[in-house]
Amino acid sequence: MSVVTEAGTGGGEGRSPVTGRGGGVRQSWRDSLIVARRNLIRMTRIPEIVLFGLIQPVMFVVLFTYVFGGSLKVGGSTSAADYRNFLMAGIFAQTVTFATAGAGAGIAEDMHKGLIDRFRALPMARGAVLTGRTLADLVQTALTVIVLAAVALLLGWRVGTDGDTDAFRVAAGFGLLMLCGYAFTWIGALIGLSVRSPEAATNGGLIWLFPVTFISNAFVDPSNMTPWLRHIAEWNPFSAIVQACRVLWANPGQSVSDAWPMRHPVWASLLYSVAIIVIFRTLSVRKYRSATL
């Protein structure tokens, strides 16, 4: 609490507790960074949070690579190497979206302990509490993705296996992943504000993620699905980010599809992510205001 208290006393004179008068957008951004720093410090004091977040995606990579690697076809090939290169974009996307559960549980815990009410009493922008939390989760997600990429490289994952790519396109793929992960944390924020306990937030954050990630192109080619399920998978925002990464990294992708998100996956990923941020940030801030009145 020392960091947050400092935020409330330093430069807080003359500002409305509700709007942060006198600072506007810059003050709101400053408050958000202070809250983010508070959450990052808390993560370092509870290393299990980071450790378990690193273990899960690594376990998925190993299991899918060695259990399903020689059984599933990618472009007519059952090569484990081809499937591994096909799989990694899906694992990366799954990793950033699963951060939703952690974001929701963290906010629910703060609500349960009354910490949100203390934040509200401080002269800070209301939206800064949620923005700071999502930014801290984004940092943790980025760390997880870095470790996951290193493990994938050790297991034999490579970019440029199905065409040409370059450092800019590879970086753009990871940038899209981070944007998608940040968007999904706002869904977690709304869930965390809507339930009564961290346990309910964790369950609520995971129960919808499994169909979203598995009814997609992450682990299998949707052309092998029944027609109605294939259409759902191809228009799934999660599928768009997976396909965008495969295109940018020149990894094996799914069969040719007429669905617009699959033909223009990079643009689709951007549009989906921005839309999710705008919609769910607005809903989360409104929920936050009503939940703390």
Side-chain angles (χ1 to χ4, degrees):
M1 285 297 297
S2 60
V3 175
V4 179
T5 304
E6 181 183 350
T9 58
E13 297 181 1
R15 296 204 318 273
S16 165
V18 176
T19 62
R21 185 183 64 211
V25 174
R26 186 172 67 177
Q27 185 61 49
S28 178
W29 178 244
R30 178 188 174 192
D31 291 343
S32 299
L33 292 179
I34 291 173
V35 175
R37 180 170 176 244
R38 173 255 174 193
N39 282 284
L40 289 173
I41 292 174
R42 177 177 175 272
M43 289 176 187
T44 61
R45 292 174 179 172
I46 311 176
E48 300 94 317
I49 296 177
V50 179
L51 180 61
F52 292 148
L54 294 174
I55 291 176
Q56 178 179 296
V58 171
M59 187 170 58
F60 271 117
V61 173
V62 175
L63 288 176
F64 273 92
T65 297
Y66 291 105
V67 175
F68 300 110
S71 304
L72 300 176
K73 291 184 178 181
V74 177
S77 170
T78 57
S79 166
D82 289 341
Y83 182 70
R84 180 173 53 245
N85 290 319
F86 170 86
L87 171 71
M88 281 313 305
I91 293 293
F92 279 119
Q94 184 189 54
T95 299
V96 300
T97 54
F98 268 43
T100 301
I107 291 175
E109 183 180 10
D110 288 344
M111 289 283 293
H112 184 68
K113 292 181 177 179
L115 189 60
I116 295 295
D117 291 332
R118 298 182 212 173
F119 280 133
R120 187 173 180 269
L122 296 174
M124 63 191 300
R126 286 188 175 181
V129 174
L130 301 179
T131 302
R133 174 75 207 197
T134 55
L135 288 175
D137 289 326
L138 182 64
V139 172
Q140 182 181 352
T141 300
L143 175 62
T144 303
V145 168
I146 291 172
V147 173
L148 181 59
V151 173
L153 289 171
L154 290 174
L155 291 176
W157 171 64
R158 298 292 183 269
V159 299
T161 56
D162 200 44
D164 295 328
T165 188
D166 53 41
F168 175 78
R169 290 169 64 86
V170 172
F174 282 106
L176 281 177
L177 282 171
M178 292 298 101
L179 179 63
C180 176
Y182 183 69
F184 272 68
T185 57
W186 281 107
I187 301 177
L190 182 60
I191 293 173
L193 291 167
S194 303
V195 298
R196 297 183 180 181
S197 69
E199 293 80 8
T202 301
N203 293 332
L206 289 175
I207 195 170
W208 63 274
L209 277 173
F210 280 102
V212 166
T213 54
F214 281 91
I215 305 177
S216 71
N217 62 354
F219 308 112
V220 297
D221 190 332
S223 64
N224 297 321
M225 301 178 182
T226 57
W228 65 271
L229 198 60
R230 182 178 69 246
H231 292 312
I232 295 175
E234 290 175 341
W235 285 88
N236 183 348
F238 184 80
S239 293
I241 183 63
V242 173
Q243 184 69 359
C245 288
R246 287 173 180 154
V247 169
L248 291 170
W249 297 340
N251 280 153
Q254 66 188 69
S255 303
V256 177
S257 170
D258 292 330
W260 185 83
M262 297 298 97
R263 293 175 65 87
H264 308 279
V266 175
W267 285 110
S269 299
L270 288 171
L271 289 175
Y272 278 137
S273 297
V274 171
I276 291 172
I277 291 172
V278 171
I279 293 171
F280 283 91
R281 187 184 189 280
T282 301
L283 293 175
S284 296
V285 172
R286 288 181 180 177
K287 186 68 176 179
Y288 170 77
R289 288 174 177 172
S290 64
T292 54
L293 287 177

